Amino acid sequence: MDEAGQRWSQADEANLRGSITDLASLVTGHWGLEGLMEQIAQYAVRAIPAPRAWA
Amino acid sequence: MTLLRHEASTSRVEALAASDPFVVEIDALQYETLSEGPCITAVRELRTVRTGSLGGEKMWPRFGPRVGRLGVHSALSLPLKLPGKVVGAINAYAREKDAFHETAAEFGEAFAQPAAVALHNAHVLAEALRLTETLQTALARRPVIDQAIGVLRARSGLTADEAFDRLREISHREHIKVVDVARQVVDSAVGRARDQHLPSTGSDDAAE
């Protein structure tokens, strides 16, 4: 995000695209339901532009 | 960040993944203790919920101040939507105020769409595997139960339903699984039949 917090940087967009691509490549049966959810949570951290202090 | 699964038939919400144990505490407060908060609103109203000042949020008069006292002030809740239903939600929390801008919500929504599909597919697969296992177990047990029903009917003239009820009664009374009762009935019948039909040694010798 830029300084004003209103526009996305190319890095932010690349992170989102990367997360969605990684999500699409997950093999559901390999991870199982809980494993898959953990993966989705990890990808979501990358997809949503991070504020300075995540909880 | 937490990821929750929503069971539409029971309205049950289950936290299954979290990037930090601390956020599990927040979700427990939201779902188990207070039954209010941004994620509950997001799931119920099928919309993204974003707040930058939880402590002063009038929409959740109990949840907001409690979480604010924990030092968490921002939340972004994204429902994982499929046509006609919600399968879960993604929650992001931050300590700083106004941490999530409007565009953060837009990015979150873009990610939430494929995430909903992935989560739904995983749930469908898990249910299919569970059902397959149940059916395989039932298929493996069915032949011996059918055989036992046949034995009981031959002995007493019962109908098939009556014979099965008899097996269940014995199972309940003796605290033994129906399939094990059936196996005992069949084994007992087979044992008796063999005893009756075994040729004696003497007659064999005489025949030769």
Side-chain angles (χ1 to χ4, degrees):
Chain A
M1 205 180 315
D2 71 2
E3 289 179 1
Q6 298 300 314
R7 292 173 60 84
W8 301 110
S9 69
Q10 288 185 338
D12 289 329
E13 291 182 1
N15 282 337
L16 175 63
R17 279 198 302 273
S19 287
I20 291 174
T21 302
D22 287 346
L23 185 62
S25 67
L26 281 175
V27 180
T28 302
H30 172 74
W31 290 98
L33 187 58
E34 291 190 19
L36 189 90
M37 289 186 77
E38 286 176 10
Q39 288 296 310
I40 293 174
Q42 286 181 23
Y43 296 159
V45 169
R46 190 177 47 161
I48 300 171
R52 285 188 293 277
W54 282 93
Chain B
M1 182 77 71
T2 56
L3 192 64
L4 302 109
R5 193 165 71 84
H6 179 247
E7 195 73 54
S9 57
T10 59
S11 291
R12 195 167 61 94
V13 177
E14 189 180 5
L16 287 181
S19 61
D20 190 305
F22 176 61
V23 294
V24 177
E25 186 184 340
I26 298 176
D27 277 331
L29 201 62
Q30 183 168 187
Y31 283 103
E32 296 162 21
T33 309
L34 302 174
S35 295
E36 68 173 33
C39 185
I40 290 178
T41 301
V43 168
R44 282 186 183 156
E45 300 183 7
L46 302 179
R47 66 180 177 90
T48 299
V49 173
R50 181 169 61 91
T51 176
S53 181
L54 277 165
E57 188 60 73
K58 291 178 181 173
M59 198 183 302
W60 314 295
R62 292 176 296 164
F63 175 80
R66 287 276 291 270
V67 176
R69 284 197 293 274
L70 293 173
V72 176
H73 298 293
S74 295
L76 175 64
S77 293
L78 302 152
L80 298 175
K81 294 186 285 188
L82 290 176
K85 64 177 175 180
V86 178
V87 296
I90 294 173
N91 292 321
Y93 298 100
R95 296 182 189 282
E96 65 183 281
K97 290 192 173 182
D98 299 317
F100 300 105
H101 296 265
E102 187 178 340
T103 35
E106 290 172 9
F107 265 44
E109 287 168 358
F111 178 77
Q113 287 179 346
V117 174
L119 182 59
H120 180 64
N121 286 343
H123 179 61
V124 168
L125 179 63
E127 283 296 302
L129 291 174
R130 187 191 59 75
L131 179 62
T132 302
E133 193 175 332
T134 302
L135 291 175
Q136 281 177 334
T137 303
L139 278 173
R141 291 175 175 175
R142 185 62 190 258
V144 73
I145 291 174
D146 283 344
Q147 289 166 24
I149 287 172
V151 169
L152 292 179
R153 294 189 69 189
R155 277 187 200 160
S156 55
L158 296 171
T159 67
D161 287 344
E162 289 169 342
F164 184 64
D165 287 343
R166 181 72 57 83
L167 291 174
R168 285 203 305 195
E169 285 168 15
I170 298 169
S171 165
H172 185 69
R173 190 173 63 239
E174 305 290 337
H175 302 292
I176 305 171
K177 289 179 181 174
V178 170
V179 67
D180 293 330
V181 174
R183 194 169 289 119
Q184 287 176 12
V185 169
V186 172
D187 288 347
S188 170
V190 171
R192 273 200 302 274
R194 283 179 178 160
D195 288 345
Q196 287 171 5
H197 293 94
L198 269 181
S200 68
T201 308
S203 60
D204 284 351
D205 291 345
E208 289 175 0

